[in-house]
Amino acid sequence: MVVYIDLIFLLNLLIDASLLVVTAWMRKQRIVIWRLTASAAFGAAYVVMMFLPELSFLYTFLVKFLFSVVMLWIAFGFGSLQSYLRNLGAFYIVNFVAAGGILGIHYLLQSSDEVFSGIWYSTSGGLSFSLKVGTLFIMIVLFAVLWWFRAVISARRRLERIDTCLAEVSVRIDETLISCTGLIDTGNQLNDPLSRLPVMVMEVSLWAQHLPETSEAKWSMEHADNLILMWSDDEAFPWRDRLRLIPYRAVGKGTQFMIALKPDQVSVTIGGREVMTTRVLIGLDGGTLSSDGMYRAIIHPALTEGQESGAGSARAATSEASSTEIRGL
């Protein structure tokens, strides 16, 4: 059997470098190219030593662990013991994920004949397994697993960031109480141009059973100004005097209009603190505010500044935001 030590070294150099890059991303460490290259080369050199019989004593758990410790010291330095241990833990997690992913996908793609052909019995009656994985397969699956792992961690971090901005919202109109989860959007400066009341946007589907029957079918077909005239003429609609028409500008679009309702009271609960106000309008959006359903309302930041557990009024924000998705006129 011919073994190309240079190819083995390059293969392990790429693998170690990939694992270190993902570790740095997880721990938000600054990547220095020469340090990362030196660390990966140090780790790859360890694999080459397996071809030197006189160095077989290096293949023990303690030596392997010390090699990983030195690799991280070369790649990221030693800031503090706590940070170093966290880097070490992240490095091993990435290694276990990559190794487990490669083995899992390898066995997933194998047929039953291939699995049984790798099983053999020793002279003492022990059962062993032989695993043969191609180099190209390792490289392709390794990068796929690391990309997948990074995507999962990114999604998790995004959910954590969003979760800190979520609040429970309850809106009361007469005897009707609508509750949902809302997202506090600090860039939302949507206000009623006449009363200067802040506007909280909610999905119209939350109010569907309390609106005129024709509204759901025509919501996406009618302009808001035409639709509000239809509602105002509907004598069976009890909230006609609560209707408002709010002009706003969306990113990449011109002036549009949004139908809003004047509630009796709005309650916003965040972090165990409840803020109640009556000075607010509820804008109705015909779409879906969150694709994953995490929130169904966009909360105006002024609604978090009212009086706690009372009917205090929230101050309407009048300053324009430098970056915003929707902006009042």
Side-chain angles (χ1 to χ4, degrees):
M1 180 178 64
V2 179
V3 178
Y4 297 94
I5 297 180
D6 53 345
L7 294 181
I8 294 178
F9 177 82
L10 290 176
L11 174 63
N12 284 274
L13 180 70
L14 291 175
I15 292 176
D16 291 340
S18 301
L19 296 174
L20 288 170
V21 168
V22 177
T23 301
W25 173 81
M26 280 190 63
R27 293 285 299 129
K28 299 186 182 298
Q29 297 284 337
R30 186 171 65 91
I31 296 178
V32 180
I33 299 299
W34 72 267
R35 295 182 68 105
L36 187 140
T37 304
S39 176
F42 181 77
Y46 177 77
V47 179
V48 177
M49 294 178 186
M50 66 182 300
F51 298 100
L52 302 177
E54 59 272 16
L55 297 180
S56 60
F57 69 92
L58 294 178
Y59 283 84
T60 61
F61 169 78
L62 180 60
V63 175
K64 292 178 181 178
F65 178 76
L66 291 177
F67 258 80
S68 64
V69 170
V70 175
M71 284 180 62
L72 290 176
W73 175 75
I74 296 174
F76 308 121
F78 186 87
S80 65
L81 179 60
Q82 184 181 36
S83 176
Y84 195 85
L85 291 177
R86 289 178 177 174
N87 289 341
L88 185 64
F91 180 69
Y92 273 102
I93 288 176
V94 172
N95 274 269
F96 294 153
V97 168
I102 291 174
L103 291 176
I105 295 177
H106 174 73
Y107 277 111
L108 183 65
L109 298 178
Q110 278 191 317
S111 64
S112 60
D113 293 337
E114 291 173 323
V115 173
F116 282 110
S117 64
I119 301 176
W120 53 277
Y121 292 90
S122 63
T123 55
S124 60
L127 182 64
S128 300
F129 295 88
S130 177
L131 178 64
K132 297 180 180 180
V133 184
T135 300
L136 181 60
F137 178 86
I138 291 177
M139 293 303 299
I140 294 177
V141 175
L142 173 68
F143 289 116
V145 169
L146 292 180
W147 175 85
W148 193 1
F149 177 71
R150 180 172 178 174
V152 170
I153 297 298
S154 296
R156 175 63 182 176
R157 288 178 176 176
R158 174 181 171 273
L159 293 177
E160 290 177 349
R161 287 194 300 267
I162 293 178
D163 188 61
T164 60
C165 298
L166 296 180
E168 294 301 317
V169 176
S170 295
V171 180
R172 182 174 62 83
I173 299 180
D174 294 334
E175 301 301 322
T176 300
L177 184 66
I178 302 295
S179 300
C180 69
T181 300
L183 176 69
I184 301 175
D185 183 8
T186 56
N188 178 13
Q189 298 297 320
L190 183 59
N191 299 307
D192 179 14
L194 298 178
S195 63
R196 301 305 300 168
L197 293 178
V199 179
M200 180 176 70
V201 181
M202 298 181 70
E203 294 180 4
V204 71
S205 57
L206 292 169
W207 300 86
Q209 60 180 345
H210 304 287
L211 299 177
E213 296 180 359
T214 57
S215 60
E216 282 190 276
K218 296 186 177 181
W219 186 268
S220 59
M221 300 168 59
E222 299 278 351
H223 292 292
D225 51 352
N226 295 331
L227 192 58
I228 198 172
L229 291 176
M230 182 187 304
W231 289 3
S232 299
D233 294 335
D234 188 352
E235 297 182 357
F237 184 42
W239 297 344
R240 289 180 298 168
D241 57 340
R242 297 178 181 270
L243 293 173
R244 305 288 188 275
L245 193 62
I246 309 298
Y248 71 97
R249 288 192 299 270
V251 176
K253 298 181 180 179
T255 301
Q256 300 184 36
F257 292 93
M258 176 184 296
I259 296 178
L261 295 171
K262 180 67 178 69
D264 291 326
Q265 189 179 71
V266 171
S267 172
V268 178
T269 303
I270 178 172
R273 184 173 66 98
E274 183 180 25
V275 178
M276 304 178 69
T277 182
T278 59
R279 293 184 52 80
V280 61
L281 296 177
I282 306 300
L284 303 179
D285 187 279
T288 301
L289 297 178
S290 173
S291 58
D292 53 10
M294 286 193 64
Y295 56 89
R296 304 184 69 182
I298 302 295
I299 303 173
H300 196 289
L303 301 183
T304 63
E305 302 171 359
Q307 298 179 1
E308 298 184 23
S309 300
S313 61
R315 299 190 302 271
T318 57
S319 59
E320 293 292 330
S322 58
S323 176
T324 178
E325 181 181 356
I326 54 177
R327 186 188 299 271
L329 291 180

